Amino acid sequence: MILPARFIVSPVSAAFPVGVVWFTRIKFQASLKRPSAVRIEPAPHKSPALLNSLRVLEWDKLCDSVACFAGTSLGREATKTQLGYLNQTYEESLRLLEETNAAVEMHRHGGFSLDFGGIDVALVKSAIQHAQRDLPVTGYEAIALSSLLQFSEILQLNLRAVLKEDADWHRRLMPLSEEILQMVVNRSLIKLIQQVIDEDGSVKDSASPALRRSREQVQVLEKKLYQLMDSLARSEKEESSFLEVSNVDGRWCIRSGSDNQTNFRGLLLSSGPGRGNIIEPLAAVPLNDELQRARTAVAKAEDEVLLMLAKKMQLDLDCIEMLLHSIIRLDVINARAKYGLSYGGTCPDLILFQDNNIPEGLESREWTLFLPEAYHPLLLQQHRQKLQKAKKDIIDATAEIGRRKMQPERVPQKGEPDINLPALKERVAALEQACPVPVDFFISMKTKVLVITGPNTGGKTVCLKTVGLATMMAKSGLHILSAESVKIPWVDSVFADIGDEQSLSQSLSTFSGHLKQINDILSESTAQSLVLLDEVGAGTNPLEGAALGMALLETFADKSLLTIATTHHGEIKTLKYSNEAFENACMEFDDVKLKPTYKILWGIPGRSNAINIAEQLGLPAKIVEDARVLYGSASAEINEVIIDMERFKQESRNLLEEAQNYLKLSRDLHESLLRAKRKIQRHRTTLRRMKLRKIEEAAARARSMLHSKARQFRASAAQKAQTTRVDLSQLEKNEKLNSTKNTIPSPQVSMDTVAKTGRTAELPKVGTLVHISSLGRKGTVVKVDPSREEVVVQSGMMKMRLKSTDFRA
């Protein structure tokens, strides 16, 4: 339908101001929607008894708490799946703990970046699925894949740098070091993705010539359409008309008021009261059609680029998939390690008991369960969250007080709460003082059943849950929130009957619900199972309940690895004295404050505190006395014995703590003495080295002086010898000259010559002391040469060769 249109642009409401050149650069994406979460396979089927046990122990909440430390969405799901599996063998549990320990070492080293939060593994998983089906990947998926590859490469480089510094780290980081070094990173794919995909996930113009041409065409057409709209706006004369440029399904249109008339012809796309008319000018129709074709060409060119990336992925798809699985697995391991580091966990010593045999390396007096200062993880988490919220409230309140001071003229609004900063600080201080109380569990290997008694709200149930959760945490590769030297048995299953199991749908009472759960546990537990029973024998006649509870516990003593039960029945406490497989413990109660201390007293059965509490709460004295009479003198005597035992236990504990303090003090003194001894030895060694160095320096100086003096003496002796030889040669010349002048010697001269010759022929022997005429010194003959009528004489450090005429005997 073609209608005449009258078009007037309002200066305020116009979409595009007149005289401004405007165009849009459009980057279309092929399927930029994020994929849905990848489905994780469910855990193996579990029996109703085991499912109920996990529910009452709140294992799912602990799994969620650990999963929060994972950096990726698939890592969080995989963490929950791994922790919920609980079918690990002993060897698998040890491997999980080794992985956690290695990740903890990586964090403590500080040279590794284990922050997986920057990787969208769900998008990488979707990219792999698209490549497997020969579909183009999206820009977001390509960027996610590039981030995964770069993160893996950096992780490998950091590990190699650490191993280069110290090769021992390879052993300490096993098995994670092996898995990280085996990861295959396709660097060419990283470079390709960076060349064609922008950081925002859009395809770059430079990705292909066709894409560049198509986008340039889109820009040209949009500019033409703007110029057309601008010319239509300028052609309108009436100022009262209303005009607005609109875009409907990618086509440029004009929206006008329903009562306005326009001066151009166009297609009426929609009309209605209150909405106005949407008109596409006839002059814009061919341009809009061409613009649609150009945009289609852009989308097609982008699809070609993204399909090319998918083809490149197919060449290395197996390695990419293995890399993704490795990163998710590292994220799960890192979540377990960060959880342990965050809450101060300890790596447990996991012990395997088989066929009632003592494991190798253990003695019969050692522990089945050694759990000092163990915290309930969920209570610790809850306390930390409350404390963090209270501190945040103080920060927010302080900021609000500062903001109000900056606005003195501000009028308080009605109902605005007052800020009580001191009260908030008191709440933080109270929370810091009210930390969860740790419990100690020391169960020897001969104990098969532990019976815990104590008042209601005394912490018995929390103790059961703490042991159950700690055992499953160790089996799943988590560190235990306890002190050092933790020893925990490996169990195939943890069964628990805790809380009110009343079922209206099955017409079961509380007692019946407990019996059904216990019966299921009895049928499924093995010699490697941990059984936790809360208020065993409760919910029925006390005598019958006590008898049933005793029978059940004796059965579990023969059937399971370890059973821990809580009860109020006094008869069950007596099992310890007839069966050495039983042990008693009770929750300590402060008679003065009438509050439980949440500490366990070992080897002592719990006593009744109801009558004493009633008396201190002000119940009439006659009622209290009647109750004591009805309770019986025997029971009162038993309570007195228990009181004495508790007092003795408390005294023993005080003495033990004092002895431990003295032992710690003696150890500290011993360490101080050892440090002082090492310091003295180091000082002694330093002094010895200094003395030796000084002696060596003095000896070196002495040797240098001796060598210098010797050189000087040799030089002086050589100079004197040279002078002597010159004098001797001059005498010989003079004698020859005289002999030449006196051709005919006189008889007297001839006789003297003969005398000299005779004397010359008689040379001294070696060792003879002679007098050297030229030097005026004595010397010793060391060598005689009769053929040349010479001797070698040594005088001091100097040796000289002399004729017989140069010395005399």
Side-chain angles (χ1 to χ4, degrees):
M1 179 178 182
I2 301 176
L3 298 176
R6 199 162 169 231
F7 199 77
I8 295 179
V9 178
S10 172
V12 177
S13 60
F16 307 106
V18 177
V20 178
V21 178
W22 176 86
F23 65 91
T24 303
R25 178 186 180 193
I26 298 178
K27 295 181 178 181
F28 279 93
Q29 284 293 308
S31 304
L32 286 182
K33 294 182 179 180
R34 294 178 179 270
S36 58
V38 179
R39 184 174 63 89
I40 303 296
E41 293 297 328
H45 174 72
K46 295 182 177 65
S47 66
L50 188 57
L51 290 176
N52 286 331
S53 301
L54 297 178
R55 178 182 58 81
V56 297
L57 292 173
E58 299 178 291
W59 178 246
D60 58 332
K61 293 183 180 180
L62 181 62
C63 295
D64 293 339
S65 177
V66 178
C68 290
F69 288 90
T72 65
S73 59
L74 294 185
R76 287 186 286 272
E77 294 179 9
T79 301
K80 294 179 184 179
T81 301
Q82 184 256 308
L83 294 177
Y85 182 65
L86 291 177
N87 282 345
Q88 297 92 347
T89 63
Y90 175 69
E91 290 74 17
E92 290 172 343
S93 297
L94 291 180
R95 179 180 55 81
L96 292 173
L97 286 173
E98 289 176 358
E99 294 171 352
T100 306
N101 293 337
V104 168
E105 290 290 337
M106 293 179 76
H107 278 281
R108 289 175 177 169
H109 181 274
F112 300 91
S113 175
L114 293 177
D115 183 12
F116 298 88
I119 307 174
D120 196 334
V121 293
L123 285 177
V124 177
K125 183 73 173 179
S126 177
I128 293 174
Q129 293 172 348
H130 286 164
Q132 289 173 341
R133 295 195 294 265
D134 289 330
L135 296 176
V137 298
T138 67
Y140 291 131
E141 293 170 351
I143 290 297
L145 177 59
S146 176
S147 299
L148 175 71
L149 295 172
Q150 292 181 72
F151 178 85
S152 304
E153 184 178 19
I154 293 174
L155 190 59
Q156 282 186 336
L157 292 175
N158 291 339
L159 177 59
R160 289 193 176 97
V162 171
L163 297 182
K164 187 176 180 181
E165 294 176 0
D166 187 357
D168 186 57
W169 277 101
H170 187 275
R171 176 188 58 81
R172 296 171 63 181
L173 299 180
M174 283 290 288
L176 298 191
S177 57
E178 186 176 29
E179 179 156 358
I180 292 173
L181 294 176
Q182 288 179 351
M183 293 191 302
V184 179
V185 179
N186 190 336
R187 295 177 179 83
S188 62
L189 186 57
I190 299 175
K191 186 176 180 180
L192 178 61
I193 293 174
Q194 292 174 343
Q195 288 176 348
V196 300
I197 303 297
D198 214 338
E199 293 181 355
D200 60 355
S202 59
V203 182
K204 293 182 179 180
D205 291 344
S206 58
S208 71
L211 179 60
R212 183 186 297 276
R213 289 193 301 270
S214 299
R215 285 180 174 169
E216 290 175 351
Q217 186 180 5
V218 168
Q219 294 173 6
V220 171
L221 291 172
E222 286 181 338
K223 185 176 181 180
K224 289 181 179 179
L225 282 166
Y226 167 74
Q227 293 173 350
L228 174 62
M229 297 299 176
D230 186 54
S231 64
L232 290 175
R234 293 179 183 276
S235 65
E236 297 296 328
K237 302 299 183 182
E238 296 184 10
E239 296 181 359
S240 60
S241 298
F242 173 77
L243 168 70
E244 182 181 9
V245 176
S246 181
N247 192 299
V248 179
D249 296 331
R251 303 183 71 85
W252 290 57
C253 303
I254 295 174
R255 185 190 302 273
S256 65
S258 57
D259 298 332
N260 294 340
Q261 296 290 328
T262 55
N263 295 328
F264 60 87
R265 298 167 63 84
L267 300 175
L268 180 63
L269 301 183
S270 66
S271 177
R275 295 182 300 171
N277 300 323
I278 298 179
I279 304 170
E280 181 180 0
L282 287 180
V285 171
L287 290 176
N288 275 329
D289 292 340
E290 191 174 356
L291 180 61
Q292 293 291 337
R293 289 191 293 271
R295 286 174 173 168
T296 302
V298 170
K300 182 180 179 182
E302 288 179 344
D303 280 345
E304 291 175 352
V305 173
L306 296 172
L307 184 60
M308 178 269 296
L309 288 179
K311 295 293 185 183
K312 292 292 185 182
M313 285 181 59
Q314 289 178 351
L315 301 177
D316 200 24
L317 199 58
D318 291 339
C319 292
I320 295 175
E321 198 165 5
M322 291 175 60
L323 180 62
L324 175 62
H325 293 162
S326 296
I327 291 297
I328 294 175
R329 183 167 175 269
L330 290 175
D331 193 15
V332 173
I333 298 171
N334 184 53
R336 300 200 305 262
K338 290 175 67 176
Y339 177 82
L341 290 171
S342 177
Y343 288 97
T346 300
C347 180
D349 184 7
L350 207 57
I351 306 172
L352 178 63
F353 294 86
Q354 287 182 329
D355 300 328
N356 295 324
N357 292 329
I358 299 174
E360 185 178 354
L362 295 180
E363 299 179 3
S364 59
R365 68 175 184 272
E366 294 196 16
W367 312 102
T368 298
L369 178 64
F370 188 86
L371 201 60
E373 299 180 11
Y375 288 93
H376 189 293
L378 298 181
L379 289 182
L380 198 62
Q381 175 188 353
Q382 185 180 12
H383 176 265
R384 176 177 292 188
Q385 291 173 349
K386 288 182 179 179
L387 186 59
Q388 290 175 349
K389 184 179 183 302
K391 291 181 178 180
K392 184 177 182 299
D393 291 341
I394 291 179
I395 296 174
D396 295 341
T398 305
E400 179 63 20
I401 292 173
R403 186 179 65 83
R404 292 181 182 180
K405 288 181 179 180
M406 295 294 292
Q407 301 174 353
E409 70 284 355
R410 176 179 174 271
V411 179
Q413 298 180 0
K414 184 178 180 180
E416 185 178 44
D418 295 331
I419 299 176
N420 190 349
L421 193 58
L424 293 176
K425 292 182 178 179
E426 289 178 2
R427 183 168 181 268
V428 170
L431 285 173
E432 289 177 344
Q433 293 295 327
C435 293
V437 179
V439 294
D440 299 322
F441 274 91
F442 308 126
I443 302 178
S444 63
M445 294 181 62
K446 68 178 183 179
T447 301
K448 305 295 290 184
V449 178
L450 173 65
V451 178
I452 304 176
T453 55
N456 291 328
T457 69
K460 300 190 300 297
T461 304
V462 172
C463 289
L464 292 183
K465 291 185 176 181
T466 300
V467 174
L469 290 175
T471 305
M472 290 190 293
M473 289 170 67
K475 184 178 181 180
S476 302
L478 289 170
H479 284 185
I480 308 302
L481 309 189
S482 176
E484 298 292 336
S485 303
V486 176
K487 295 183 184 297
I488 289 185
W490 181 89
V491 298
D492 54 6
S493 300
V494 177
F495 294 102
D497 175 49
I498 300 174
D500 187 1
E501 295 301 321
Q502 185 174 7
S503 176
L504 297 179
S505 61
Q506 298 183 13
S507 300
L508 295 176
S509 64
T510 301
F511 179 71
S512 300
H514 279 293
L515 279 185
K516 183 180 183 304
Q517 174 71 0
I518 293 175
N519 185 49
D520 292 340
I521 293 174
L522 195 60
S523 62
E524 296 179 19
S525 62
T526 67
Q528 290 182 316
S529 299
L530 172 64
V531 179
L532 307 172
L533 303 177
D534 188 26
E535 300 295 347
V536 61
T540 186
N541 179 277
L543 293 178
E544 290 184 336
L548 186 59
M550 294 172 70
L552 284 172
L553 292 181
E554 287 180 336
T555 302
F556 279 118
D558 298 329
K559 183 175 179 58
S560 63
L561 175 66
L562 178 62
T563 302
I564 304 177
T566 66
T567 184
H568 282 291
H569 294 301
E571 293 81 358
I572 297 180
K573 308 173 190 177
T574 63
L575 288 173
K576 172 186 176 180
Y577 308 106
S578 60
N579 190 338
E580 64 177 5
F582 283 74
E583 181 59 86
N584 284 334
C586 69
M587 305 305 298
E588 188 180 41
F589 188 83
D590 192 335
D591 293 331
V592 178
K593 298 180 180 179
L594 297 180
K595 292 182 179 179
T597 63
Y598 305 107
K599 295 181 179 179
I600 299 179
L601 299 178
W602 290 92
I604 300 176
R607 59 185 174 87
S608 174
N609 294 285
I611 298 177
N612 294 334
I613 293 174
E615 182 181 15
Q616 295 191 21
L617 290 178
L619 203 66
K622 185 178 184 306
I623 297 177
V624 173
E625 290 300 325
D626 291 344
R628 285 199 173 103
V629 172
L630 294 173
Y631 186 58
S633 59
S635 299
E637 291 175 0
I638 293 175
N639 275 341
E640 291 298 327
V641 172
I642 294 175
I643 291 173
D644 292 338
M645 293 177 64
E646 289 180 357
R647 187 180 300 111
F648 175 74
K649 193 77 173 182
Q650 186 63 39
E651 293 175 356
S652 301
R653 180 190 297 175
N654 294 336
L655 291 174
L656 178 61
E657 290 178 355
E658 185 178 0
Q660 288 176 344
N661 291 332
Y662 282 126
L663 180 61
K664 184 178 182 299
L665 181 60
S666 64
R667 286 176 177 172
D668 293 340
L669 291 174
H670 181 65
E671 289 295 330
S672 300
L673 290 173
L674 289 178
R675 286 194 296 269
K677 181 180 178 182
R678 287 193 292 268
K679 186 176 180 180
I680 292 172
Q681 289 176 347
R682 287 196 298 268
H683 184 64
R684 184 184 300 166
T685 302
T686 303
L687 289 177
R688 186 183 296 111
R689 289 177 179 173
M690 291 176 60
K691 289 181 179 179
L692 289 175
R693 187 164 55 250
K694 289 181 180 179
I695 292 172
E696 290 175 355
E697 292 175 354
R701 288 195 299 269
R703 283 194 297 271
S704 177
M705 293 175 63
L706 288 174
H707 291 163
S708 177
K709 292 292 184 181
R711 284 194 298 271
Q712 292 176 2
F713 185 77
R714 282 195 295 270
S716 176
Q719 185 177 2
K720 290 181 179 180
Q722 182 66 25
T723 304
T724 302
R725 283 195 292 272
V726 170
D727 293 341
L728 291 175
S729 61
Q730 187 64 34
L731 288 174
E732 290 178 354
K733 289 180 180 178
N734 293 336
E735 289 179 357
K736 289 180 179 180
L737 182 62
N738 292 331
S739 62
T740 304
K741 290 180 179 181
N742 302 319
T743 306
I744 303 173
S746 63
Q748 184 65 33
V749 172
S750 298
M751 291 299 296
D752 292 340
T753 304
V754 171
K756 288 182 179 178
T757 304
R759 187 173 65 247
T760 302
E762 297 178 0
L763 296 176
K765 297 180 180 180
V766 175
T768 306
L769 189 65
V770 298
H771 184 270
I772 304 171
S773 303
S774 61
L775 297 179
R777 299 177 60 178
K778 291 184 178 181
T780 303
V781 178
V782 295
K783 185 177 180 181
V784 179
D785 188 359
S787 62
R788 300 178 62 179
E789 295 185 352
E790 292 180 348
V791 295
V792 177
V793 180
Q794 181 171 0
S795 176
M797 297 291 294
M798 182 172 57
K799 288 184 180 181
M800 295 172 289
R801 184 178 292 275
L802 301 177
K803 295 288 186 178
S804 60
T805 58
D806 296 335
F807 65 88
R808 67 177 182 271

